[in-house]
Amino acid sequence: MKYIMDREIQIFTEIWLTAIVTLIFCHQIAARIPSGAARLLSLLPIIYLFTTLPLRLSSFHLAAPTIFYLVWLGNFKLLLFSFNQGPLSTSPPLSLLHFISIALLPIKTKQTPISPKPPSSDKKAFHPIIIFLLKFCLIAVIISLEKYREFIHPYLILALYCCHAYLGAELVLAVTAVPVRAVLGLELEPQFDEPYLATSLQDFWGRRWNLMVTSILRPTVYDPVRRVSTRILGRRWALPAAVMATFVVSGLMHEVFYYYVTRVAPTWEVTWFFVLHGFCVAVEVGVKKAWCGCWGLRPAVSRPLTVGFVAVTGGWLYFPQGIRSGLDVKAINEYSILVGFIRDRLPVNASSLVL
């Protein structure tokens, strides 16, 4: 087991070093090629590498962020860069370190300058750290409970999986942003914004849940589809078409993610989960327009309804594919392997501290 983890770490390091080298090419050479088909052609080998390199990994906890960062976000950012759009195309051009960081990591720099905080806000600045530690402790408790899932009601297990998916994604993305803030001093947009407080599905998917995906799907899918649909279908149907296209692409990318981590042929349940939510969001937006934006529901009612709908449909369509493939068991078992791997490499052995 120790050899397997050592080998996984080696492959993980090779993948990320390769990605960094290819982005040096993008920054130094591809950026000088005129945008459009010529630049896209020059970037196709990089997109191919980003798509295939994560297939070498078998560990869920190393493969999952690598797939998300390279296969999805990285490739979509390169596609935008091909046409001189997106976060990699700025005026003046990004420095090499900024270019690599934004291309490889799920971060988005704030567009407006941040004014210095007054001294009295120091106490508030400590608040996110407390929240982070609480969420870290909560996910540790959830992982401990999941080990005894055979003794827990299936509905409670699904609730734990929902919390696990949210907390795991938020904590991984937050930890990823820490070195960027420390080394580059960038002010970054939040990656999540308390999705459990969402008052509608539009609020949940558009303003609170995994905002890095939202920020990359808007220019790559939503905006182009809405422009084309406006010309073909008219303004009335352009927005629903753009919403549905965005959710379909998100569903397909989640299917790709599932395939990479399970190596099992897709059953398309995950895609249907996003198709259902895309349809519901499109209907919700249409109802809001008809009612002039007035829902008539108080947050005390709309929040549990929204989160409950996401959780129930997630348990119905999103999680079963991973559970059938044993992905949940694999992920839980890997925690103890990772803990042992880290413990064996600590400079001071814990047993030597016992007097």
Side-chain angles (χ1 to χ4, degrees):
M1 192 64 67
K2 178 182 176 182
Y3 169 77
I4 294 175
M5 183 53 65
D6 286 338
R7 180 60 180 161
E8 282 289 295
I9 294 293
Q10 179 183 346
I11 294 173
F12 178 79
T13 304
E14 291 173 357
I15 289 172
W16 281 92
L17 287 176
T18 302
I20 291 172
V21 171
T22 58
L23 286 172
I24 295 175
F25 162 80
C26 295
H27 183 268
Q28 298 296 322
I29 299 177
R32 291 170 169 77
I33 299 175
S35 61
R39 185 183 295 180
L40 176 62
L41 186 63
S42 72
L43 293 177
L44 285 180
I46 314 302
I47 294 173
Y48 173 79
L49 279 174
F50 278 19
T51 303
T52 57
L53 283 175
L55 287 169
R56 299 176 59 196
L57 292 168
S58 59
S59 167
F60 173 78
H61 290 90
L62 296 178
T66 304
I67 296 162
F68 179 52
Y69 296 176
L70 297 185
V71 179
W72 190 344
L73 297 184
N75 279 337
F76 277 45
K77 290 174 183 178
L78 289 179
L79 288 174
L80 289 172
F81 180 62
S82 300
F83 299 95
N84 209 31
Q85 298 180 32
L88 299 179
S89 299
T90 62
S91 182
L94 295 170
S95 67
L96 178 60
L97 189 55
H98 283 67
F99 185 91
I100 293 174
S101 300
I102 293 174
L104 290 182
L105 301 177
I107 58 174
K108 182 182 178 183
T109 57
K110 288 189 175 180
Q111 301 300 315
T112 55
I114 305 300
S115 57
K117 293 182 178 180
S120 59
S121 66
D122 291 343
K123 185 177 180 180
K124 292 182 180 180
F126 189 66
H127 179 68
I129 300 176
I130 297 176
I131 296 298
F132 178 86
L133 293 176
L134 288 174
K135 290 179 178 179
F136 183 84
C137 293
L138 181 57
I139 196 172
V141 171
I142 290 172
I143 293 169
S144 300
L145 290 174
E146 288 175 347
K147 294 179 180 179
Y148 305 97
R149 56 192 173 278
E150 62 269 22
F151 305 110
I152 303 175
H153 194 281
Y155 289 158
L156 181 56
I157 286 293
L158 286 175
L160 291 175
Y161 285 164
C162 290
C163 295
H164 191 168
Y166 158 57
L167 292 170
E170 181 173 15
L171 292 176
V172 168
L173 267 63
V175 169
T176 301
V178 169
V180 177
R181 288 192 177 96
V183 175
L184 300 181
L186 296 177
E187 288 287 350
L188 305 178
E189 296 283 354
Q191 297 155 318
F192 284 82
D193 187 12
E194 299 178 316
Y196 45 84
L197 298 180
T199 56
S200 67
L201 289 177
Q202 184 186 20
D203 184 36
F204 181 89
W205 291 112
R207 305 184 188 97
R208 294 184 178 274
W209 179 265
N210 205 342
L211 299 176
M212 299 302 102
V213 168
T214 302
S215 67
I216 205 67
L217 284 177
R218 180 174 291 277
T220 54
V221 182
Y222 179 86
D223 290 340
V225 171
R226 188 168 184 181
R227 285 195 298 268
V228 173
S229 299
T230 300
R231 292 195 295 267
I232 298 175
L233 303 175
R235 298 186 62 180
R236 179 180 179 183
W237 298 104
L239 189 147
V243 169
M244 287 300 301
T246 303
F247 275 86
V248 168
V249 170
S250 181
L252 293 175
M253 293 307 300
H254 279 82
E255 294 282 6
V256 170
F257 176 87
Y258 261 116
Y259 175 76
Y260 273 68
V261 294
T262 64
R263 308 300 164 87
V264 175
T267 60
W268 307 110
E269 292 163 286
V270 175
T271 299
W272 281 112
F273 169 82
F274 284 95
V275 169
L276 173 63
H277 278 257
F279 175 78
C280 292
V281 170
V283 171
E284 178 186 300
V285 172
V287 171
K288 284 181 178 179
K289 285 190 173 182
W291 290 359
C292 300
C294 299
W295 266 115
L297 291 178
R298 295 182 179 275
V301 177
S302 60
R303 281 173 179 162
L305 284 177
T306 300
V307 176
F309 181 78
V310 174
V312 170
T313 54
W316 172 34
L317 294 171
Y318 186 83
F319 292 105
Q321 186 170 327
I323 294 173
R324 282 195 303 269
S325 64
L327 183 61
D328 57 331
V329 178
K330 177 182 179 181
I332 293 169
N333 291 338
E334 276 190 14
Y335 281 110
S336 58
I337 298 173
L338 288 172
V339 170
F341 179 82
I342 295 171
R343 184 183 60 241
D344 292 343
R345 282 154 179 76
L346 289 176
V348 179
N349 195 313
S351 60
S352 65
L353 299 178
V354 180
L355 298 178

